[in-house]
Amino acid sequence: MKKSLQGSFLFILFIAVIVSGCNKNNNNPLPLPIPAINPIISSLTSTSVIVGARTGGSVYVTANGLCYSSTNSAPTTSDISISDTVGARWQNTITGLTPNTTYYIRAWVTNQAGTGYSSTITFKTLATDAVPTGTVTTFAGSTAGTGGYAEGVGTAALFDGPQNIAFNAATGLLYVSDSFNNAIRNITTDGQTSTHINNDLGYMDGDISVAKFYGPRGISFDAQGNTYVADLGSNIIRKITPAGVVSTIAGNTIIGYLDGAAAKAEFYNPTATVEDATGNVYVADRSNNLIRKITPAGVVSTFVGYRATTGYSQATVPGYVDGDATTAAFNFPAALTIDAAGNLYVADYRNNAIRMVTPAGNVTTYAGGLVFPAFLGSPNGIVMDAQGNMFISDNNGRILEITKNKVLYVLAGANASGYTDGVGAAARFSNPQSLTLDGQGNLYVADFNNNVIRKITIANQ
């Protein structure tokens, strides 16, 4: 009898513990989940759009999706709602939209606490189904993809690993970093090539007839007509005056990371340069995972990027962090461009991201990144037009446009490598490294593995 009573008591105690535990859980409910919506939409037409989102944080959720409306600026699941398979990230193609109409859209996620919503993004459908599309042709270099060194018109010319291309509005010429030839080449708008800097490997300043480079990469121009070159192999930044005089404005050929006076400063594989309106030169210091700044007086500083602890190489601190100038982190910054307001845009190669840097040094993710890693495929090149439209070459073999309204279109290429001229997704590139715009709105691409320069004309089709 005692054993029976003791067993009953223990059973009652067990039930009490469970009930107590449940009550405690009720006193500590799950937090309301807040998802994030991708601020860049893609493939917008007159009746459809692609939108992506992700679950915010590590909160447990039971359902997720998108909701949208043409009248409610803060749509909920009571408006038009789409559910998706529960996951950390999701993407929906929304169809059946009305042409030339403004829509509001939010991501939503649900758990025991209720339904949480992202911020709202707004877009307007197109009036017709014509979207920006690129027609790709071979502008200069062998159509067989043959590497070499030869001047000529169009396909009669030969290049060997062209890695950067830039249009000089003052001269009307394209400048090409023909890296394996250690040369800077010029191309006229009708395709005639010429040698701007000799194809002799080395490091020598002076007149362009004797100057030498080692694997030149990024090229940019200032308002005075000077040309700046990131001389990757020599780990220095060079300047070419309009009169054809080459000098070193920062670096000393030593691989490293050191700020200070121009001759003492050290870089590690600089790949790109760009200038602001006051004459400062910004450098994508790729293997140091930093953006550096060179003043007109020749003083080098770290503009943005996480600094390694004393005694450790900068190459050991790649990362992905948005924030202020000292906490933000990059991973292999490959290319730079600048807008009219002085904001820098960085092709952050290994983070699959375009990062935006304000003049004050605050860093945010403009597109892609580890939050939406499939959006961009290792961007190699970036350029903006006067209207604020952005053009990107990515390592997946695509040429992309992000319009000023934050709509992404694939202008040409696909997630495949090859060498084919053609329209839109029929074209193929092989590791496109850089791109530039001429004064007529045409794109030119340094198609690295194919040893050619490609031209893309853009039209709504």
Side-chain angles (χ1 to χ4, degrees):
M1 183 68 178
K2 287 182 179 180
K3 289 183 179 180
S4 177
L5 289 173
Q6 184 178 15
S8 298
F9 174 75
L10 290 175
F11 177 74
I12 293 169
L13 179 62
F14 176 69
I15 295 299
V17 169
I18 292 176
V19 171
S20 175
C22 290
N23 288 334
K24 286 182 180 179
N25 287 338
N26 289 335
N27 291 331
N28 296 280
L30 290 172
L32 186 70
I34 304 298
I37 192 166
N38 192 338
I40 310 290
I41 61 176
S42 59
S43 303
L44 177 67
T45 71
S46 64
T47 59
S48 64
V49 68
I50 298 175
V51 183
R54 75 182 297 271
T55 302
S58 58
V59 177
Y60 174 75
V61 300
T62 56
N64 55 232
L66 300 169
C67 56
Y68 62 96
S69 171
S70 62
T71 57
N72 183 2
S73 61
T76 69
T77 52
S78 297
D79 294 294
I80 303 173
S81 182
I82 302 173
S83 298
D84 204 313
T85 303
V86 173
R89 299 178 182 88
W90 67 97
Q91 180 173 278
N92 294 118
T93 299
I94 300 172
T95 60
L97 303 177
T98 302
N100 203 33
T101 300
T102 298
Y103 284 90
Y104 309 93
I105 186 166
R106 294 201 289 180
W108 59 266
V109 293
T110 298
N111 68 1
Q112 290 178 347
T115 298
Y117 295 91
S118 71
S119 58
T120 302
I121 60 172
T122 305
F123 65 89
K124 187 175 183 179
T125 52
L126 304 181
T128 71
D129 278 338
V131 298
T133 305
T135 299
V136 182
T137 56
T138 298
F139 184 66
S142 169
T143 54
T146 304
Y149 186 84
E151 306 298 1
V153 177
T155 58
L158 293 177
F159 298 87
D160 194 357
Q163 289 199 317
N164 193 272
I165 187 166
F167 179 71
N168 188 338
T171 63
L173 296 173
L174 293 164
Y175 285 59
V176 178
S177 292
D178 194 4
S179 294
F180 291 163
N181 281 323
N182 302 294
I184 307 294
R185 313 277 291 278
N186 289 150
I187 313 176
T188 65
T189 53
D190 61 2
Q192 174 66 60
T193 70
S194 61
T195 299
H196 190 65
I197 297 290
N198 288 317
N199 62 324
D200 291 329
L201 185 154
Y203 170 43
M204 182 181 294
D205 286 335
D207 188 82
I208 58 172
S209 62
V210 297
K212 295 181 181 180
F213 288 75
Y214 181 13
R217 288 291 296 266
I219 301 175
S220 59
F221 312 98
D222 67 15
Q224 288 70 47
N226 298 300
T227 303
Y228 297 88
V229 181
D231 196 353
L232 181 142
S234 293
N235 296 291
I236 55 178
I237 308 302
R238 316 286 289 276
K239 175 182 174 180
I240 309 170
T241 68
V245 178
V246 180
S247 61
T248 300
I249 66 165
N252 55 25
T253 74
I254 297 173
I255 293 175
Y257 167 53
L258 188 64
D259 287 334
K264 293 183 178 180
E266 296 173 1
F267 299 86
Y268 190 1
N269 292 156
T271 57
T273 58
V274 73
E275 295 71 46
D276 67 15
T278 59
N280 296 301
V281 179
Y282 297 89
V283 180
D285 194 2
R286 188 182 68 183
S287 293
N288 277 328
N289 301 297
L290 298 170
I291 307 302
R292 313 284 289 280
K293 178 180 176 180
I294 308 170
T295 68
V299 178
V300 178
S301 61
T302 298
F303 183 53
V304 288
Y306 181 79
R307 285 75 157 174
T309 303
T310 301
Y312 289 86
S313 167
Q314 272 299 127
T316 65
V317 290
Y320 176 60
V321 179
D322 286 336
D324 63 27
T326 58
T327 58
F330 299 86
N331 193 349
F332 232 53
L336 299 172
T337 193
I338 192 167
D339 67 16
N343 298 303
L344 289 175
Y345 297 86
V346 182
D348 195 359
Y349 182 83
R350 288 181 178 163
N351 282 326
N352 296 327
I354 301 299
R355 316 286 290 281
M356 176 179 166
V357 187
T358 68
N362 294 313
V363 179
T364 55
T365 298
Y366 186 80
L370 300 187
V371 175
F372 298 104
F375 203 63
L376 299 175
S378 301
N380 282 316
I382 182 172
V383 67
M384 295 185 79
D385 66 17
Q387 290 72 46
N389 300 303
M390 180 183 294
F391 301 89
I392 303 162
S393 54
D394 79 6
N395 200 47
N396 285 350
R398 302 180 301 170
I399 307 302
L400 312 172
E401 177 182 3
I402 298 178
T403 71
K404 62 182 179 181
N405 295 321
K406 294 193 173 182
V407 181
L408 181 141
Y409 292 100
V410 180
L411 295 178
N415 291 323
S417 181
Y419 181 22
T420 305
D421 287 337
V423 178
R428 291 290 182 271
F429 301 85
S430 185
N431 198 4
Q433 286 283 303
S434 170
L435 72 175
T436 193
L437 285 160
D438 68 12
Q440 310 303 315
N442 299 301
L443 278 173
Y444 297 85
V445 180
D447 193 357
F448 177 71
N449 285 342
N450 286 325
N451 298 304
V452 293
I453 305 302
R454 314 288 285 280
K455 180 179 179 179
I456 305 176
T457 56
I458 304 169
N460 288 332
Q461 300 182 32

